[in-house]
Amino acid sequence: MKNPTKILMQLTRKALDLDWRLLLLLLPPLSLLVYVSLSSSFTTTTSTAVGTLLSSLSPFKSIFHSNYVPHARAPEEVGLRARRRREEEELDRSRIAVCLVGGARRFELTGPSIVQNILGVYNKSDLFLHSPLDPNAYKLSLLKAAPRIAAVKIFQPEPIPETQSQSRVLTAANSPNGIQGLLQYFNLVEGCLTMINDYQRKNNFTYDWIVRTRVDGYWSRPLPRDNFIPGKYLVPPGSSYSGLNDRLGVGDYNTSLVALSRLSLIPLLDAAGHQQLNSESAFKAQLAVKEVPYVTHRIPFCVVTDRRYEFPPGRFGVPVAALSSPGPLSGAKCRPCTPACTGSCVGPVMNGLYRGWSWTEWANKSLELCDAHGDWEEGWEKLFDAVAGRRLAAERKRVEALKLKQCVDDFEEMRKRTALWEAPPAADICRLASGLV
Ligand SMILES: *[C@@H]1O[C@H](CO)[C@@H](O)[C@H](O)[C@H]1NC(C)=O
Ligand SMILES: *[C@@H]1O[C@H](CO)[C@@H](O)[C@H](O)[C@H]1NC(C)=O
Ligand SMILES: *[C@@H]1O[C@H](CO)[C@@H](O)[C@H](O)[C@H]1NC(C)=O
Ligand SMILES: *[C@@H]1O[C@H](CO)[C@@H](O)[C@H](O)[C@H]1NC(C)=O
C-alpha cells in the first residue's frame, strides 16, 4: 500500500525541515553533514508540594477537562466550579519551564505569537531557548519582550558522531543527511532538558511542568490550561508520521524527562529491538518503553514553513494550512496565503491523505489550505498582518526595520536578565544577518 521510497524521501525531507542551505553557506567544511532545523520542545516542572497536590486531584481531571458549560447551578456544579478554580490556582502557582528550540527562520512572525500566547499567559513560566547560530539568529533578540528568561544557548552547529545503536534504531533514508539530521534535532531537544536541569540544580528546585515547543510555531490563541495533566504526556493529534506528533509536548517533570531524552534513550530502544525509526516513531517508542502514557488534544498553533509542497497533496503529501485557518491546527505546516481550498473542497483533499502520516484534523471547518507549490505569494505581509492583529504586525515590522545597534542592545538587555547565557557576542550574532546595518 505505502510506497516505501516515497516514504523514505518524505522522512528525509522532514528531518531536514530546516533550511540548511543557509547553514551550508556558513559552514562549508560541514557541507556533507546535514544540519537539521527546528523542532521544538518545551518542558515541565514539579515542585514536590504542588506535584503531590495535583496528583491528588488527578481523579477529577477528566471532569475538569471536559467542556464544562455553566448553566443552572446544581450543588454538584458549584462544587465542580470551586474545584476547578482551585486547580487553576494551582497551575498559576506552579513552576513552568518553556523550552523553545530550533532555528529562527521566520521568528519575526512566530516569536511575538509565542510571547503573547504562552509566555505572557503563563507569566510565571521561565523561558529556555536552544537555537543554532545562523543568519536568522538575530531575530531571537525580540525575546527581550519575554517576561522571564532562565537560560539561552545559541550555538555553532557541529556534526554529531553517529553511534552503532543510533544507526540501527534510526532510519538514514536515502539521503546523506538522514541520521545526522535526526541527531541534530534530538540534540536540540535534549540539550534544552540539560539546560533545565542545570538551572534546577543551581536553584535547588524542580519544575512542575515543562512545555516543549518550536521556534517556528505560530500560535493563534493561548495554550489552553487543560493541557497540563499529571502523569500523562500531552501531544497534538495528526502529523504523526507513523508515530506521535513531536511538534509540541506538555508534561510534568517526570514524563517530560522521558519525552525530552531523545538521544539518551536510543540505546534502550535498541535493546528493545526497534529499528529504522523516524523522529515520530522513535518518540512514540521512547514513551512506550518507559511506560509513559500520552493523550492528544488539539492545540492552536501551526509550523510556519518556507518550503514548497505539491498541491493538492497526495496520499503521503503534506497539506499546508492557511495561517488564517480558524484552527486549532495542532502543529500542521502553514504559511500566510490566500486559501486555495476552503469549505467543501477541504474534506475530499484531507480524506485522500493517509491518516497515519501527514494527515491532520480538519473537522469543524478548522482548516483552509494553501496551494504551496510555489514561493510565498506577493503581499503575504499584508495577509499576515490582517490575521495576526495590530500587535504582532507591529512587531513584524519592527524586526524588518531592525538596525544593527538596536539588535545588539536588545541582546544585551536579554543577557542581563538571563541566569544561564551561552552565546556568541551579540555583535557577532547581529552581524551574521545579511542587511543589518
Ligand atoms: C500574570 O497574569 C496574571 C493573571 O493573568 C495577572 O494578574 C498578573 O498581573 C500577571 N503578572 C505579570 C507580572 O504580568
Ligand atoms: C534545597 O531545598 C531543600 C528543600 O526545599 C532543602 O531542604 C535543602 O536544604 C536545599 N539545599 C540547598 C543546598 O539549598
Ligand atoms: C517523579 O519521579 C521521582 C523519581 O523517580 C519520584 O520520586 C516522584 O514521586 C515522581 N513524581 C511524580 C509526581 O510522579
Ligand atoms: C467539533 O465540534 C463539536 C461541537 O463543538 C465537538 O463536539 C467536536 O468534538 C468537534 N470535533 C473535533 C474533531 O474537534
Side-chain angles (χ1 to χ4, degrees):
M1 288 205 313
K2 305 185 207 172
N3 173 340
T5 311
K6 197 162 179 191
I7 293 177
L8 284 180
M9 286 172 58
Q10 299 269 7
L11 273 172
T12 311
R13 287 209 217 108
K14 170 159 169 56
L16 302 178
D17 204 82
L18 241 19
D19 185 344
W20 51 285
R21 280 168 300 172
L22 289 175
L23 195 78
L24 296 183
L25 282 178
L26 270 178
L27 303 172
L30 294 183
S31 58
L32 285 180
L33 294 158
V34 171
Y35 168 60
V36 173
S37 93
L38 327 167
S39 351
S40 53
S41 82
F42 257 46
T43 49
T44 48
T45 66
T46 314
S47 85
T48 316
V50 176
T52 310
L53 185 44
L54 284 174
S55 309
S56 69
L57 286 173
S58 60
F60 303 111
K61 276 280 177 191
S62 57
I63 305 176
F64 296 151
H65 294 149
S66 66
N67 291 329
Y68 172 68
V69 183
H71 288 301
R73 304 257 176 107
E76 327 68 90
E77 288 190 358
V78 174
L80 195 62
R81 285 158 67 88
R83 242 180 281 148
R84 189 178 174 173
R85 203 173 322 117
R86 218 179 314 136
E87 193 188 52
E88 299 236 325
E89 285 165 9
E90 279 312 317
L91 188 55
D92 283 335
R93 271 195 292 275
S94 64
R95 313 189 69 156
I96 304 178
V98 173
C99 181
L100 196 53
V101 306
R105 170 90 79 113
R106 292 284 187 178
F107 201 58
E108 73 275 31
L109 311 186
T110 59
S113 79
I114 292 167
V115 172
Q116 178 168 307
N117 292 304
I118 302 179
L119 303 171
V121 175
Y122 300 97
N123 58 14
K124 279 186 65 190
S125 62
D126 292 326
L127 173 65
F128 292 81
L129 173 71
H130 195 202
S131 281
L133 178 64
D134 69 21
N136 286 305
Y138 79 95
K139 295 175 183 172
L140 298 167
S141 63
L142 68 80
L143 285 170
K144 74 162 189 188
R148 296 157 64 110
I149 312 176
V152 168
K153 184 172 178 186
I154 300 173
F155 66 100
Q156 180 82 57
E158 279 169 17
I160 299 171
E162 184 181 322
T163 67
Q164 289 192 356
S165 67
Q166 284 163 355
S167 54
R168 279 191 294 268
V169 169
L170 301 174
T171 179
N174 46 2
S175 133
N177 318 310
I179 288 186
Q180 183 59 213
L182 288 178
L183 296 180
Q184 293 287 344
Y185 166 42
F186 291 176
N187 180 56
L188 275 172
V189 175
E190 187 153 352
C192 201
L193 179 62
T194 306
M195 291 163 64
I196 289 169
N197 285 334
D198 288 349
Y199 187 77
Q200 291 186 152
R201 211 171 302 120
K202 196 172 159 200
N203 294 286
N204 192 27
F205 78 102
T206 306
Y207 281 104
D208 299 301
W209 304 102
I210 299 179
V211 177
R212 169 183 63 87
T213 194
R214 335 177 16 140
V215 165
D216 60 1
Y218 172 78
W219 287 75
S220 55
R221 289 200 297 276
L223 171 64
R225 302 171 67 91
D226 63 359
N227 290 300
F228 296 81
I229 306 171
K232 292 186 180 162
Y233 201 67
L234 183 124
V235 297
S239 306
S240 58
Y241 296 86
S242 297
L244 284 183
N245 187 333
D246 66 354
R247 295 173 185 173
L248 168 89
V250 181
D252 58 32
Y253 180 79
N254 285 1
T255 58
S256 293
L257 190 57
V258 172
L260 302 189
S261 296
R262 305 239 30 198
L263 285 173
S264 55
L265 286 179
I266 287 178
L268 209 60
L269 299 186
D270 191 22
H274 287 287
Q275 288 181 343
Q276 300 277 303
L277 303 180
N278 61 5
S279 178
E280 288 83 0
S281 52
F283 182 47
K284 188 172 188 178
Q286 79 191 57
L287 294 185
V289 296
K290 298 292 273 182
E291 297 180 345
V292 170
Y294 67 86
V295 283
T296 62
H297 280 187
R298 296 178 74 183
I299 307 283
F301 79 105
C302 63
V303 168
V304 176
T305 177
D306 275 76
R307 292 183 34 213
R308 304 167 179 194
Y309 295 93
E310 174 193 7
F311 183 82
R315 195 160 160 71
F316 294 94
V318 175
V320 176
L323 203 84
S324 54
S325 301
L329 292 171
S330 294
K333 294 290 171 76
C334 64
R335 55 155 80 174
C337 76
T338 307
C341 177
T342 63
S344 60
C345 165
V346 175
V349 171
M350 296 308 290
N351 285 333
L353 295 173
Y354 180 65
R355 220 181 148 97
W357 201 246
S358 59
W359 179 89
T360 192
E361 182 63 74
W362 53 275
N364 295 345
K365 296 192 162 53
S366 56
L367 180 65
E368 299 186 343
L369 295 167
C370 301
D371 174 351
H373 84 276
D375 291 333
W376 284 19
E377 72 193 57
E378 195 78 20
W380 65 262
E381 294 91 342
K382 275 210 173 92
L383 293 174
F384 175 84
D385 292 355
V387 171
R390 217 174 309 153
R391 236 165 101 182
L392 299 198
E395 192 68 347
R396 178 188 72 73
K397 289 175 189 155
R398 191 187 70 80
V399 174
E400 196 177 65
L402 194 64
K403 295 280 190 283
L404 185 63
K405 180 173 185 313
Q406 189 65 51
C407 174
V408 173
D409 290 350
D410 290 352
F411 271 127
E412 284 304 324
E413 200 183 310
M414 267 172 78
R415 189 174 58 81
K416 280 193 203 119
R417 45 193 203 89
T418 303
L420 306 175
W421 182 271
E422 199 180 322
D428 293 3
I429 304 174
C430 298
R431 276 200 209 98
L432 258 190
S434 49
L436 216 58
V437 290

